[in-house]
Amino acid sequence: MNSVTGKTALITGASSGIGQELAKLFAQDGYNLVLVGRSDDTLDRLAEVFKGNYGTQQVTVIKKNLSEEDAAQDVYNQVKAKDITVNVLVNDAGVGLYGLFATDTDWEREKAMIHLNVLALTQMTKLFLYDMLARNEGKILNLASLLSITPSPLMAVYAGTKAYVYNFTQSLVNELKDTNVTITALLPNATDTDFFNKAGAQNAKVTDEVQDPVMVAKDGYEALMAGKPKIVPGGLKNKSYEVLAYVAPQEALASLMHSKMLPKPEPDADNDMSPKLAWGIGFGIAVLAGVALTVAYNNTSVYDKARYRYKAKSAGNAISDALSSVLDTVADVYQNAKSKAEELAPKAKKAEEELVA
């Protein structure tokens, strides 16, 4: 606690959810804060909490709707007018919108979402990154999503904006590699915030598997401080989703995501599945998918196997290497079992014929 003095972190979307949890972590580490959000009342209360609980020396509150034209420029101008040096920029603010793109969703809301998720984030990054490079010091955290690497029916425009954020961030990682400025993409899975309510997706199946924003913020904070190019919080399960996104067909991913985004079925006492049964079915599907992937992998050329390994490794985490090893192992087991079955088949057939005779 209070390990940093004199540095300032600017967090957009700081009034709730992941942004609020990130602000708390910066406060605990002794950063001064610039909190940006629509609700100045909430931000004012947070400022008092941070000062009282963590001894934060300076908290600047900027009430701003970043989906409005030139809002990012106005935030930057206010910060410069107060002579504040932003050492860390966190682009957390973002919204979603649920429904069929062609018939359900409203264009004005989509346009505002694109402005917030893409234009404001890009302009904030450009303005503050320029100053960071001039000092050759600074860190940026951009909130992407696991949806940034998968198609997402029923949230198509949102997923598209997050794909931009992820690609944009990784491109800047390369541009900044010879400097002391780092940029990190945070790719959380569905998280227990007000996001789904605001997006109109509060009844989507995926809300049954949301993860803790405290955990997401902690993993993102640690990756940011370590200068990592990206982080998928949530352990092995979410990292396996990342690997799957790189190696599975896009059509299959789209179907999977569509099923997760569908509304929850109406409760039915006669057909209600217990949690154990639901887990069992999910495990069965995972096994079938694994077998299908293994068979497909086993029947590919040496070149394609090497290509798949490369894709898996590009996920940039421990499970990537494990995936290639497991695929090879399972493929070998499959081949051995297949060979053994081919050896036993004639004997079984002969025994059947003798039994019939």
Side-chain angles (χ1 to χ4, degrees), residues 326-339:
V326 168
L327 283 172
D328 279 332
T329 301
V330 177
D332 289 341
V333 171
Y334 168 81
Q335 190 60 50
N336 291 336
K338 181 180 177 183
S339 299

Side-chain angles (χ1 to χ4, degrees), residues 223-263:
L224 171 71
M225 292 304 161
K228 295 181 179 179
K230 64 178 178 179
I231 178 67
V232 177
L236 186 63
K237 176 183 176 181
N238 288 340
K239 289 178 174 60
S240 67
Y241 283 150
E242 182 191 11
V243 173
L244 187 64
Y246 287 112
V247 300
Q250 291 294 293
E251 295 85 353
L253 287 173
S255 295
L256 173 63
M257 296 310 300
H258 193 173
S259 68
K260 285 179 173 291
M261 292 307 301
L262 287 173

Side-chain angles (χ1 to χ4, degrees), residues 6 15 107 125 135 147 168 184 205-206 209 212 237 241 262 293-294 311 332 334 336 344 349:
S15 59
W107 168 242
T125 301
R135 302 190 308 268
L147 296 187
F168 170 66
T184 303
K205 293 179 181 177
V206 70
E209 51 186 79
D212 185 1
K237 176 183 176 181
Y241 283 150
L262 287 173
L293 283 172
T294 300
K311 283 186 176 182
D332 289 341
Y334 168 81
N336 291 336
L344 293 176
K349 185 178 180 179

Side-chain angles (χ1 to χ4, degrees), residues 12-14 36-38 64-72 75 90-97 108-125 142-143 157-158 161-162 164-165 168 195 198:
T12 69
V36 181
R38 296 186 183 188
K64 182 59 60 175
N65 180 357
L66 289 172
S67 65
E68 296 175 350
E69 193 70 26
D70 294 325
V75 169
V90 176
N91 286 309
D92 173 79
V95 294
L97 186 60
E108 292 302 319
R109 289 187 64 185
E110 284 169 334
K111 183 168 65 173
M113 175 172 59
I114 294 170
H115 197 292
L116 175 60
N117 294 5
V118 174
L119 295 179
L121 177 144
T122 305
Q123 190 174 17
M124 291 283 287
T125 301
N142 285 337
L143 191 73
V157 177
Y158 172 77
T161 64
K162 291 303 180 179
Y164 169 86
V165 171
F168 170 66
F195 171 84
K198 291 178 178 178

Side-chain angles (χ1 to χ4, degrees), residues 59 74 77 86 110 120 194 215 221 247 255 271 293 313 344 351:
V59 182
D74 185 56
N77 292 344
V86 173
E110 284 169 334
D194 202 33
M215 177 275 294
Y221 186 82
V247 300
S255 295
N271 296 318
L293 283 172
K313 288 179 183 296
L344 293 176

